[in-house]
């Protein structure tokens, strides 16, 4: 029998390998496509070192940090437009989030629950597994910072007298989470409020360092706003829907997709009756875990996860833009708290199994390990694999073949300027490693890269191709009359070749 520490290493390696294997299946399926927002992330990283562009927020937005652009730029400038490299960098950020969740859970519960909590994040359920392979700025990094805030807040909340450095760490992480994406305040406020309540009279050792550090984390964001007339404070266009619509949508649409119980088009993976039952079991495990946390000791930190879970959805419903539930992405906000609560529940069951055993301590330990491993396997078997099967995530498909076809065709005809739909042209610029420059034409008219936009718009119109989805695009989007272009269907997208195209 292998020593205990070797078994732990082997189990951890197995969890990592399974998580990577599931993501490889996704990248080789239809979910391996590179969309416009992901291409933006790659191009923004390239711009840091190639063009000396140092953005503060996403171009065209009034919020959302682009910290990943700086982190990944040294790698992506040598990646040659690789989709796999881009996506795996963001998968790595999800791994950081799993480690941070493990650290938070160890502080709140114990090492067993911590290992399980980290595994549940890494082996992300349903729509969260798909999201973990998307090169979306803010999400994986925001998840990691939120989990780190829980960890840091637990330390401060349990200190009789808060250490200023620890208070500053909490403030900086919470402030950074807000800067990364304002939606994270829906979980950061409840988390930090626990420490704030415990140390409400500690002006110098809690409030001053925490507030100052939160301000420091947002200096770039505040400076950018001040220099541009405070656009983040101006009225924004909000999608339709009431507070109750959003809250109901979270419960009936968002979380079931996030937990892998409903597909993106709304079908129940196991059928509605069984799906609702499994949903209830997961919620029951979360509630049980919160009870275990509250009853597990007298430390103030025991309230962090229950408070966050109780407050999260009502606070999320206050943000109009979170009404979109079809891809389940906003499940990322309660996800670390769900993982910690479920882990607390399972770890408690494992302790009961260990304590009720009349066998030796070594066998009792193994028995508890079996419970934890079994819970992890059940998590994957129920919330991950069936969802992926229902979404054909195990079917091998080259989702980016159309991009290769477009790039190869443009190379054949000697064209290196393309305008067209946002979702189509940005992937072409990234995949070509910027050998082809692109501009946005049509809807949505969102200009992320003014330099590329100018380069294309200043090119003679007879040398600019256009790229749109099948259909009849508006003639006003073209630089020349539509009948002057040759249309070619390349894998489901229509390439409009200009008069200067060779052959």
């Amino acid at each position: 029998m292998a020593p205990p520490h070797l078994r732990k290493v082997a189990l951890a390696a197995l969890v990592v390998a399974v998580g990577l294997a599931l993501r490889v299946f996704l990248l080789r399926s239809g979910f391996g496509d590179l969309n416009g927002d992901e291409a933006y992330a790659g191009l923004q990283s390239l711009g840091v070192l190639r063009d000396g562009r140092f953005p503060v927020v996403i171009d065209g937005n009034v919020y959302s940090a682009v910290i990943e652009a700086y982190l990944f730029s040294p790698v992506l400038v040598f990646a040659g437009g690789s989709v796999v490299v881009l996506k795996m960098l963001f998968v790595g950020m999800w791994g950081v989030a799993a480690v941070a969740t493990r650290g938070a859970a160890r502080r709140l519960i114990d090492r067993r629950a911590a290992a399980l909590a980290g595994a549940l994040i890494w082996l992300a359920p349903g729509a969260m597994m798909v999201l973990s392979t998307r090169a979306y700025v803010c999400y994986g990094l925001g998840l990691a910072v939120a989990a780190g805030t829980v960890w840091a807040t637990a330390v401060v909340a349990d200190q009789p007298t808060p250490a200023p450095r620890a208070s500053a760490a909490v403030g900086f992480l919470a402030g950074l989470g807000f800067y990364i994406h304002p939606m994270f305040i829906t979980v950061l406020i409840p988390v930090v409020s626990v420490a704030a309540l415990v140390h409400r009279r500690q002006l110098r050792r809690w409030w001053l360092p925490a507030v100052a550090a939160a301000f420091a984390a947002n200096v770039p964001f505040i400076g950018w706003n001040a220099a541009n007339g405070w656009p983040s404070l101006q009225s924004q266009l909000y999608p339709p829907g009431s507070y109750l619509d959003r809250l109901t949508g979270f419960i009936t649409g968002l979380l079931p997709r996030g937990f892998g119980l409903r597909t993106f088009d709304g079908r129940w993976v196991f059928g509605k009756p069984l799906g609702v039952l499994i949903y209830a079991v997961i919620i029951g495990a979360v509630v049980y875990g919160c009870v275990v946390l509250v009853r597990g000791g007298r430390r103030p930190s025991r309230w962090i996860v229950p408070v966050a879970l109780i407050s999260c959805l009502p606070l999320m419903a206050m943000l109009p833009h979170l009404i979109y539930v079809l891809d389940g992405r906003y499940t990322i906000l309660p996800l670390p708290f769900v993982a910690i609560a479920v882990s607390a529940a399972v770890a408690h069951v494992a302790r009961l199994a260990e304590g009720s055993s009349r066998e030796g301590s070594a066998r009792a330990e193994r028995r508890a390990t079996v419970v934890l491993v079994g819970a992890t396997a059940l998590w994957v078997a129920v919330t991950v694999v069936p969802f992926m099967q229902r979404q054909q995530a195990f079917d091998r498909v080259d989702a980016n073949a159309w991009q290769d076809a477009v790039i190869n065709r443009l190379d054949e005809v000697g064209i290196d300027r393309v305008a067209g739909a946002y979702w189509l042209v940005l992937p072409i610029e990234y995949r070509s490693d910027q050998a082809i420059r692109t501009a946005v034409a049509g809807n949505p008219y969102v200009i992320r890269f003014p330099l590329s936009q100018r380069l294309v718009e200043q090119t003679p119109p007879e040398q600019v191709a256009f790229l749109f989805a099948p259909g009849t695009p508006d003639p006003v989007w073209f630089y020349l009359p539509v009948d002057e272009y040759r249309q070619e269907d390349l894998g489901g997208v229509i390439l409009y070749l200009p008069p200067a195209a060779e052959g």
Side-chain angles (χ1 to χ4, degrees):
M1 182 67 66
H5 69 279
L6 290 181
R7 290 202 300 271
K8 293 174 185 176
V9 171
L11 288 173
L14 178 61
V15 167
V16 172
V18 170
L20 286 174
L22 291 169
R23 289 172 173 87
V24 168
F25 278 113
L26 282 168
L27 295 182
R28 291 161 62 95
S29 74
F31 289 108
D33 65 303
L34 181 77
N35 66 37
D37 285 344
E38 293 178 285
Y40 164 79
L43 290 169
Q44 189 65 82
S45 287
L46 295 177
V48 171
L49 291 182
R50 286 186 180 173
D51 302 326
R53 298 186 69 250
F54 306 110
V56 175
V57 296
I58 294 175
D59 289 284
N61 279 19
V62 296
Y63 59 87
S64 297
V66 286
I67 296 172
E68 295 94 334
Y70 299 94
L71 295 176
F72 300 153
S73 187
V75 177
L76 289 175
V77 291
F78 300 108
S82 170
V83 174
V84 173
V85 171
L86 174 63
K87 286 176 174 283
M88 290 307 295
L89 286 171
F90 283 83
V91 168
M93 191 60 68
W94 202 274
V96 173
V99 172
T101 303
R102 179 185 182 278
R106 182 157 190 171
R107 176 73 194 186
L108 293 171
I109 316 169
D110 56 33
R111 60 178 179 81
R112 288 176 178 169
L116 180 58
L120 297 187
I121 294 294
W122 178 242
L123 302 171
M128 293 294 93
M129 180 62 76
V130 176
L131 181 64
S132 74
T133 66
R134 291 295 186 187
Y136 291 156
V137 296
C138 306
Y139 285 85
L141 178 60
L143 176 62
V145 170
T149 305
V150 174
W151 191 353
T153 303
V155 172
V156 173
D158 292 339
Q159 292 175 337
T161 302
R165 287 186 179 181
S167 299
V170 172
F172 185 84
L173 286 170
L176 181 62
F178 170 78
Y179 174 32
I180 289 171
H181 198 298
M183 68 179 178
F184 284 103
I185 64 173
T186 60
V187 292
L188 295 173
I189 288 177
V191 168
V192 176
S193 68
V194 174
L197 182 61
V198 172
H199 301 302
R200 57 190 177 277
R201 296 186 177 89
Q202 297 287 342
L203 178 63
R204 290 188 176 183
R205 302 184 68 86
W206 161 251
W207 288 105
L208 288 179
V211 172
F215 179 85
N218 282 274
V219 164
F221 186 46
I222 295 171
W224 175 84
N225 267 284
N228 291 278
W230 301 97
S232 298
L233 299 181
Q234 298 172 13
S235 299
Q236 306 295 319
L237 294 176
Y238 295 128
S242 67
Y243 179 90
L244 186 58
D245 291 335
R246 292 189 289 273
L247 190 60
T248 302
F250 297 154
I251 297 170
T252 62
L254 180 71
L255 294 181
R257 287 175 172 85
F259 293 158
L261 303 177
R262 298 185 75 170
T263 58
F264 292 127
D265 64 6
R267 293 172 297 162
W268 287 88
V269 173
F270 299 98
K272 188 172 182 178
L274 182 56
V276 171
L277 177 61
I278 296 172
Y279 190 18
V281 170
I282 293 174
I283 299 301
V286 170
V287 173
Y288 181 56
C290 289
V291 172
V292 170
L293 284 165
V294 171
R295 291 184 174 180
R298 301 181 62 83
R299 296 183 301 174
S301 62
R302 72 189 190 276
W303 291 101
I304 290 176
V305 170
V307 168
L309 285 170
I310 290 171
S311 306
C312 183
L313 295 186
L315 289 176
M316 287 172 60
M318 296 177 68
L319 303 181
H321 289 292
L322 302 192
I323 195 170
Y324 179 72
V325 303
L326 296 184
D327 68 357
R329 68 174 63 186
Y330 300 125
T331 306
I332 200 171
L333 296 171
L335 183 62
F337 307 97
V338 169
I340 292 172
V342 170
S343 299
V346 174
H348 186 256
V349 172
R351 284 195 296 273
L352 294 177
E354 184 180 37
S356 63
S357 175
R358 297 181 180 179
E359 302 164 334
S361 59
R363 287 192 175 184
E365 173 76 17
R366 287 197 294 272
R367 191 168 180 175
T369 300
V370 168
V371 173
L372 296 173
V373 173
T376 305
L378 185 62
W379 176 266
V380 174
V382 173
T383 70
V384 184
V385 173
F387 176 89
M388 290 178 62
Q389 288 178 328
R390 194 67 179 267
Q391 296 281 184
Q392 289 81 47
F394 294 107
D395 297 343
R396 186 171 181 177
V397 175
D398 186 354
N400 298 306
W402 69 268
Q403 297 166 15
D404 295 321
V406 170
I407 293 170
N408 292 336
R409 184 58 177 148
L410 290 172
D411 183 61
E412 289 175 357
V413 298
I415 296 295
D416 61 2
R417 297 290 186 266
V418 180
Y422 169 88
W423 298 105
L424 302 179
V425 297
L426 262 65
I428 296 303
E429 182 163 345
Y430 174 75
R431 290 292 311 284
S432 68
D433 201 22
Q434 295 190 298
I436 300 171
R437 291 286 187 158
T438 64
V440 175
N443 294 317
Y445 190 68
V446 179
I447 299 175
R448 303 293 192 197
F449 301 101
L451 175 59
S452 289
Q453 190 80 17
R454 287 195 301 271
L455 287 174
V456 175
E457 291 178 348
Q458 293 171 0
T459 300
E462 63 272 11
Q463 297 175 9
V464 179
F466 279 79
L467 189 64
F468 291 107
T472 305
D474 192 326
V476 302
W477 296 343
F478 294 86
Y479 298 167
L480 297 171
V482 177
D483 57 10
E484 293 191 26
Y485 296 89
R486 300 200 313 270
Q487 298 183 30
E488 297 184 4
D489 188 333
L490 300 177
V493 296
I494 307 302
L495 179 64
Y496 293 79
L497 292 174
E502 301 172 0

